[in-house]
Amino acid sequence: MKIRLLCLIVLLLSSSLFLVAQNNRPNVLLIYVDDLGYGDLGSYGSTKIKTPNLDKLAAGGLRFTNAHSSSATCTPSRYALMTGNYPWRVKGTGVLPGDAALIVPTNKTSLASQFKDAGYATGIVGKWHLGLGDAVAKNWNESIKPGPKEIGFDYSFIFPATADRVPTVFLENQTVVAGNAADPIQVDYKNKVGNDPTGKEHPELLKMLSSPGQGHDHTIVNGIGRIGYMSGGKAARWTDEEMPMTFLTKAKDFIVANQQKPFFLLYALTEPHVPRMPSTMFKGKSGLGYRGDAILQLDWAVGEILKELDQLGLSKNTLVIFSSDNGPVLDDGYQDGAVTQLNGHKPAGILRGGKYSIFEAGTRVPMIVSWPAKIKTGVSDALICQIDFLATFSNLLKKPLPKGDGADSENQLAALLGQSKTGREILVEHAGTLSIVQGNWKYIEPSDRAAYDPTTDTELGNAKMPQLYDLSKDPSERNNLASQYPDKVKALAEKLLQIKNK
Ligand code: NG6
Ligand code: CA
């Protein structure tokens, strides 16, 4: 009898220890989408676009109202996500061409290497846009290093830059998928290579016209003019309509293969970035042009990957984070109906600006966090930035960051898990120009940059005079209070300078 009791106690103790261990080592699925705006999801107020899968995730998790990417474009936001450093401190972290070299340091902790060092299986499936190899000149016909592996991803299935940039190929573990030595790939961003028709010379070959003056009229791939020239690799070139299925399949395969270990998967969807060329099942479905269709498509992909977690019994102990790399844009280079069929939809919700803008819509993005084993459902107004994921997961994994790594990243674990309502005290936002947010106040530094970009129809938020907004009363940044509160302006300008000089 006594022995039985003892066994029972040992069993109970070891299973609760196991649970503790499990709770500190959840699987982490980071779903990172491209150019989705603060107002694009049902759970963030959209009535024109239905996003049932993400709304369900939000209803069962924590929905953030003041979460940010570091920057208002892709490369710098992804750089910050990976390194925990403000990208504006480092030259060469702006939007990269498709032939750029890797910009993430391989000798510092990255979000991926941190998970890897903690014993996780690490993978990335989707958009990369952080450069590959050690130089612009590279041989696309052999394995390219350094890349995802050298910064901590065991597995990668990526495309190099953006969907509108050459080379329009996938790389699996840093080798082009379906590459062929007899049809070598060449890439050039200045001069035409090979004999492929370009959008500029042959607009009659396009299935979707590019927007005048935006430059998406170089090599045509899959009936779409791209930025940059490429030749060769005919069998390796992607079909845009298949991309969601391709990425979903690879992401599922990774999860299935690593279901016994804790894993970190960055599932970096390309939607709703241009060129929006949804798969047949979504074409025309939103009634809002291809941008709306692309959002339905990404919502579907999220639903499918979550279903996979469910079927494998992994949902409860998987921490899912959903967010976007920057704010929304309608016309980003193609005539795809985003403008003409907008139908009253507000991609940025109540916020002003969008992608490229230092106004809030540039970096304030949807962020949903779910971890059924640990996170209570609700809404959080905590100020939090994707740059914080590095220090936050360092805390969760109990792997302290080496001194100097991720210096701009803050441990916001309590906010991420909904245990604290306050997040950062201060955040610097970035869109070329910088701004600083502290509590309700936002100060935008004076800038000579243009106030408005006519090609994308974006209010960039730049002004020669200082700007000060009270975000609690004026989230749409309409009333510049700088002249009424000169002391506040001075204090925030000084604080910003201090952070810049850090
Ligand atoms: C811009 C492109 C735009 C898009 C963006 C990058 C032009 C005129 N526009 O320069 O189409 O590719 O870069 O988007 O070239 S991001 O989401 O990857 O930052
Ligand atoms: Ca983007």
Side-chain angles (χ1 to χ4, degrees):
M1 192 64 200
K2 265 190 186 161
I3 290 180
R4 265 203 205 164
L5 194 71
L6 203 70
C7 284
L8 193 70
I9 291 171
V10 169
L11 195 75
L12 279 175
L13 265 176
S14 58
S15 60
S16 60
L17 276 177
F18 174 72
L19 266 182
V20 170
Q22 198 190 25
N23 272 344
N24 285 329
R25 293 169 65 79
N27 303 308
V28 176
L29 170 63
L30 173 52
I31 308 174
Y32 202 52
V33 300
D34 198 358
D35 297 4
L36 187 78
Y38 191 70
D40 275 326
L41 303 179
S43 39
Y44 281 81
S46 158
T47 53
K48 310 270 177 182
I49 300 178
K50 305 276 179 243
T51 51
N53 294 300
L54 280 157
D55 299 347
K56 192 172 154 208
L57 187 72
L62 198 55
R63 185 175 70 80
F64 285 81
T65 64
N66 202 7
H68 292 254
S69 56
S70 81
S71 310
T73 49
C74 171
T75 301
S77 290
R78 283 164 209 253
Y79 177 87
L81 175 79
M82 280 299 147
T83 64
N85 288 317
Y86 280 132
W88 43 265
R89 295 193 193 283
V90 185
K91 274 217 174 81
T93 56
V95 174
L96 292 177
D99 57 356
L102 178 71
I103 59 166
V104 179
T106 52
N107 58 353
K108 297 239 157 100
T109 311
S110 81
L111 189 59
S113 72
Q114 178 167 262
F115 278 105
K116 186 176 164 65
D117 292 347
Y120 276 58
T122 54
I124 173 167
V125 172
K127 175 177 179 172
W128 177 241
H129 214 185
L130 289 168
L132 289 168
D134 49 20
V136 168
K138 62 184 127 269
N139 187 348
W140 288 97
N141 307 293
E142 50 189 42
S143 162
I144 300 175
K145 287 179 203 134
K149 188 174 174 59
E150 286 71 23
I151 70 154
F153 287 106
D154 299 321
Y155 173 74
S156 60
F157 185 96
I158 55 167
F159 67 62
T162 56
D164 56 356
R165 280 175 172 73
V166 299
T168 52
V169 297
F170 301 115
L171 290 95
E172 189 162 32
N173 295 326
Q174 295 167 219
T175 302
V176 170
V177 176
N180 175 2
D183 184 24
I185 296 169
Q186 254 190 294
V187 176
D188 200 308
Y189 271 75
K190 291 199 184 87
N191 306 304
K192 188 175 169 182
V193 283
N195 298 316
D196 281 274
T198 64
K200 194 170 184 174
E201 300 155 351
H202 290 287
E204 77 285 358
L205 298 178
L206 298 172
K207 61 181 170 191
M208 177 168 65
L209 290 177
S210 50
S211 303
Q214 288 209 45
H216 298 64
D217 56 4
H218 302 149
T219 304
I220 300 174
V221 179
N222 188 32
I224 299 169
R226 314 280 166 166
I227 303 175
Y229 301 97
M230 81 176 281
S231 67
K234 283 279 192 301
R237 298 181 186 191
W238 70 55
T239 303
D240 301 75
E241 290 87 334
E242 282 179 2
M243 201 166 313
M245 214 36 173
T246 306
F247 284 157
L248 176 64
T249 305
K250 294 292 174 180
K252 277 187 184 177
D253 288 352
F254 175 84
I255 293 175
V256 169
N258 294 289
Q259 57 182 300
Q260 307 294 353
K261 311 177 193 147
F263 61 79
F264 166 63
L265 174 62
L266 173 50
Y267 183 32
L269 301 182
T270 178
E271 296 93 344
H273 193 283
V274 297
R276 301 154 188 141
M277 187 48 66
S279 57
T280 307
M281 62 179 165
F282 295 106
K283 261 184 195 152
K285 206 174 169 194
S286 69
L288 267 62
Y290 286 170
R291 184 173 187 278
D293 300 344
I295 295 173
L296 298 187
Q297 181 168 287
L298 84 81
D299 182 70
W300 165 83
V302 169
E304 292 301 302
I305 201 86
L306 296 180
K307 224 187 281 168
E308 184 70 27
L309 290 177
D310 255 346
Q311 280 163 4
L312 296 170
L314 298 175
S315 293
K316 199 155 185 255
N317 200 38
T318 299
L319 199 172
V320 179
I321 304 180
F322 173 88
S323 201
S324 174
D325 67 341
N326 53 251
V329 59
L330 295 177
D331 183 350
D332 210 16
Y334 298 93
Q335 300 178 42
D336 59 8
V339 175
T340 52
Q341 297 177 61
L342 188 60
N343 191 24
H345 173 62
K346 292 193 166 63
I350 56 163
L351 304 179
R352 190 169 180 187
K355 181 177 183 179
Y356 309 115
S357 173
I358 193 63
F359 284 139
E360 280 296 278
T363 64
R364 203 194 290 195
V365 286
M367 181 163 123
I368 301 168
V369 181
S370 149
W371 181 9
K374 198 117 173 186
I375 295 180
K376 292 204 186 81
T377 62
V379 176
S380 173
D381 299 330
L383 177 64
I384 189 164
C385 180
Q386 293 157 6
I387 204 170
D388 299 327
F389 291 173
L390 187 75
T392 299
F393 283 110
S394 143
N395 195 273
L396 181 81
L397 299 169
K398 311 240 172 318
K399 294 235 18 136
L401 283 166
K403 207 167 180 297
D405 286 9
D408 297 309
S409 186
E410 287 186 8
N411 167 27
Q412 293 295 340
L413 187 61
L416 191 85
L417 302 182
Q419 292 156 355
S420 161
K421 286 191 160 42
T422 51
R424 281 182 161 257
E425 192 208 334
I426 286 177
L427 176 68
V428 176
E429 298 177 9
H430 168 228
T433 303
L434 300 181
S435 72
I436 180 166
V437 174
Q438 183 170 33
N440 297 337
W441 294 104
K442 173 169 174 180
Y443 162 77
I444 306 179
E445 67 177 3
S447 166
D448 287 333
R449 295 185 175 91
Y452 176 70
D453 173 24
T455 53
T456 58
D457 185 23
T458 303
E459 290 187 294
L460 297 170
N462 302 311
K464 290 195 172 51
M465 303 296 286
Q467 297 174 74
L468 180 75
Y469 298 100
D470 180 348
L471 293 177
S472 66
K473 298 196 183 102
D474 179 25
S476 313
E477 296 165 285
R478 295 285 162 193
N479 305 309
N480 181 3
L481 302 174
S483 54
Q484 278 175 55
Y485 296 95
D487 292 350
K488 198 85 223 164
V489 168
K490 191 161 169 263
L492 286 173
E494 269 167 19
K495 190 79 219 171
L496 179 58
L497 192 66
Q498 224 177 56
I499 297 173
K500 275 194 205 178
N501 293 336
K502 213 167 91 177

